[in-house]
Amino acid sequence: MTRPWPALAALLVTGSLSTPCFPDAVPEGERRELVKQGEHYPVGLFMIDYAAQHATAELVFILLQEKMGYKVQKMLDGFFGSDTFFALAGCRSPTNLSDRGCGVDGEMTTRAHVAVEGWTEGYLPVWEQLQQDYPSSAPRNLGNMGYQGESSSFVARSVQERAFNAEGISLDFYRDYNVSWTDSAKYFSRLQELNRSKLLPCEQTSLMNVELMKVYRDLTGDHEGVTPLGNGQVIGRCFDGYFWYAPVCRTQGSSKCIPFITGGAGWAFQETFQKATFLGMPLAWAVGSNWESYSTLPMELTTIFYWWKPDPTFLRLDAKALIFPPYDRLQWEKGIARSAATEISIDKYISQDLSTLAPDIEEFMKGFMVDIKDVDEIMLEKLESGKPYSDVACRWLHTNTERWRKWLPDKTKCFARYGLYNEKVAKFVESRTNPQDLTCQICPPGSFSEQMKDANGTTFICRECTAGTFQVSGASTECDPCPKGEYQDETGSNSCKRCGFGKYQDARGARNCTQCPAGTTTVGFGSLSLDDCACLATTINIVSQNSSRNQSPFECVACSEGLQCPFSSSLQSLQTGEATLGPQYVPHVLGGYFSDPEEPLMIYKCGCTGKRSRGIQCRPGKHCPGGKPGECSGGRVNKPCASCPQGQTWNGKQCKACTAWATVLWVTGLLISLAVLLKAYDFVDSKARAEPSPFQVGKIASSIAINVVQNIAVFGLMSVDWTNTVASTSRSLRFILLDLDQLSLSCLIGHGNLFRFVVSGLLLPGATLVLILRWAAMRFKYPKWWPQCLRAKVWKFFKTVNTIGTLLQVGFATLSALSLQPLMCYRHPNGSLSLLKYPSTFCGDSEQIIMVVFGMALMAIFVCGFFVTCSWAIWKLPAWSGQSRHEMVQAFTFLSSKFRLDVWYFGLLLLMRDMGLSVIVVAATDRPELQVALGSITILLYQSILLRVWPWKASVLNVADTACSICLLLLISQSLHVSASDEDFAETFSAVIMVILATFLGLLGILCTSALVLSRSSCPSTGLKLLHLGDRIQAARISTALKDCAKGLLEIEVSHLDKTLEDMNTYDLEALAATITLVSMEVLADTQYNFNDRVALQAVSRRTRLTRVSQVTAAKRSMRLSVKDQPMDPHQEAEEHREEHLEEDAGQRTEAASKTRVRL
């Protein structure tokens, strides 16, 4: 049943409805109401309809109205003790079990303020939950009312007296019921005398409670007292349809049984059963069929019955509770009820706001104390007289004047937490002079209540809190000292001030705070001790915890790059990875950096020099995950995570043990490389032509692709913050720079940096040496007995030189980067320098010096030496061409044969670009922005010259080289991203560029392959169209036009021709001069009209003049005749015949050209 507060009007009773109890009662019109935020309302006395509460509540009601002058309303609305709690908390519907209507804590206004006779322990979970959920509104428990409540087994006094008079036993002690000593059943009614109609059948009682009966059986072991149901389930055993017999009762027979009456469905049956079993009491337990039967059976018959006090039901019997063994808490916690139950405190409550609204009522309620005899007296008089509780309570008050006067507060007798207050001047005072204006009020915050004695007795006054103390809530007998971490430098304060940043206080009651040592601060306000001081962020405390007490606990030093030092960083927390304040305060090595556990503050970069590295460009950064000193990923070791342990190799994710297959594969690879190298002599020595064949275009396209791959690999050596796409691609292509670690080279030669570098550096020089030895070996003549089929082809010197040049030209970028690696030092945060390629080798060490010497030797001989040789050859090629030194021209065909003969020098520009990119890495290892700028300039200059001269012999090669150069320029430019959004764009952009670059190279390969296939088919012209991206002008048309032009020129006057040429544009004159040079050298074959330097086609295609044919032929014939009886190598003879044929053909063409020149 729920009664919302608006419906309580019918249940409210005020003092005006009855005659006052006291003649001098405060008149009704002068009685006060409570006032809260301008609203007036009476004091609410919440009540539950049971006798003991009526008896005590009437006492409170009368005194509050007539003696203290308050208007009071009775709120008779409760059913359960817990309803009182919610009513005093201000809940709108306190009796509604499904929704109490409590609202928001702190915003509820209660109309119920006082309640008495509460059994708090019986509803303790509800009380505690209410205090937790509504701390600002929950009611207050003022403690015990002066008596305890109890529930137990009772016996009427008349029965006790009869037994005592007969045998001297009191029947108030459990041992008085031991059948071995006495037959106590004879003083009680027999079971046959109980009217069965007033009893509940067994099946309607708690005997049917399976769970509780199982507990009883398990605790007592009384299997005879239960009836099994199967599956371990039991119910209580029923006797005679209405009773349960205790074990003694069953063994002695029903004649020895004492009837025990309880109510409900069997109140406290578990406790009763256990006591009867454990203590050997012959009880026959039964349940009254209803309240009337329960309350009348003990009155009509002599029985033991279950009852609680205070309660008027059996007061007339003057019953006394049986005495059981003292309360045993441990047994009761286990569910064993052998001992007596504990008594329950009967409490009184007030609403939480009553202390503010009416503190004198709170004081009255604190002093309100009655005895259980007083309560029994009032209830018994009510039963005997039939008068209302108000009249009975009034009579009790008149009889016990001295008792209740002590409950009323003296206006000037202040209690603890209150102080004297002069209402006239509205201030707290310290004297009771002129008491007419004095009252007691709660000491406000910032003060405390202090006892004062004067002529009138003892009272309390309010004093201000001294400096260093505070009182936040008021109503206190003392001011609290400021806790550690706080201070107060003023008096009368209701709070303390927290120590600010960089200060602490390790004592209570302080008036100020202590400054932390220099270089340290605190994590926040209110620090409690010197231990709360810690080094500032970006610094770390290097003082050991084991340092002496006399030593300062702090020595904060700045953290270097690569070391993340939050507030309170220390050397110990760095080494252990733990911090007192939590994981966010643990200093740690950043990813991409490393420190040695023995020197944790010596920070090393893991080969990364980019300022904004995301971790992938570090050497590689994933090798150094950061965290505690000494941590490396994948099982790597050494500083800084530079290599795998001996006998292991890196597989891209972790170190793995070397296998025999790695050695086998390396040996196999070297043998294959040697075979390919020896075959390169024939492959690179194809005949040079002004119009390249599809096969030659394919070779040139391959060289362009290799050069692009080399450039991307060199990009990876830069300290630029590349995107993931570029960085991962560059790493995978490092093998082309002879970075063979990813090919398990360490399994073959170990992890020594010097040896690995030397081996890598000797690969190309070793290949060169192999070619030289192959040429030199053929200088020795075979013995006569050596089979012809096993004789190797003789290599010619100039062809061998061309093969070596081709090898060094292809590997020029690789050798340039490799030889400069010992100079590529990057700086660690600790000031030391490491090689970018070999981070465990420190610059300045003997190992690095040896590597520099070896690298410079490589640079001097195979890079600079090769470049100087090529420069000299480029300078001399036109002269050699004009001097018919064709062997020299052919020795450097690798430099000029790929390009148009008028830009024969372009191969040198390629070498300059490759060497320039490698030098940039060394010159600005720690300056990524400068590397980007210089790299962009280098590529841009090359691109400009490429577009200016269009050097390659096939248009498709020029387009491909231009496209690749543009892609490389775009790749290097995107590395300058600076923000997170730019990083995302750069990642996408670089991926697109890489796809475009791969697409260009793929299309180039497809075009070259298609042209090669078509050239071998019936449509060779179609193949040439693909290579030149269009039709080629027919030679016959050019020949006719050239002859017509020559005729026309012969007819023009020289003066007129001079005037015409003077009016032409400079670029047109240059084009005309180039045309005359071309016609002079290639068509007329031997004239002096060479306006531009140019290498003649005859020089690179093995043609010679007619005047030398007879001399060369005669010389060769005489040489053969001089070697008598010596058989000539068939290969040599065929080669000489082929050269003689070519020379004769060239001579005929030269003679024809001479005749044409004579005509001109």
Side-chain angles (χ1 to χ4, degrees), residues 230-243:
N231 297 325
Q233 304 296 317
V234 296
I235 60 175
R237 184 176 179 183
C238 182
F239 296 86
D240 196 22
Y242 296 91
F243 298 95

Side-chain angles (χ1 to χ4, degrees), residues 738 760-770 807-808 815 854 858 862:
L738 299 181
S760 299
L762 289 177
L763 288 179
L764 281 177
T768 302
L769 181 61
V770 168
L807 174 65
L808 294 179
L815 277 176
F854 180 76
L858 284 180
F862 292 97

Side-chain angles (χ1 to χ4, degrees), residues 23 153 223 341 453 559 607 664 718 742 788 799 863 966 1060:
S153 301
H223 293 275
K453 291 184 179 180
C559 291
V664 172
M718 294 182 178
Q742 56 187 324
Q788 292 291 335
K799 292 181 182 180
V863 178
I966 293 174
T1060 302

Side-chain angles (χ1 to χ4, degrees), residues 1076-1097:
I1076 293 173
T1077 300
L1078 177 64
V1079 171
S1080 173
M1081 296 186 68
E1082 303 297 346
V1083 178
L1084 302 180
D1086 190 13
T1087 69
Q1088 301 302 318
Y1089 303 117
N1090 296 337
F1091 293 97
N1092 302 94
D1093 287 337
R1094 177 185 176 87
V1095 178
L1097 178 61

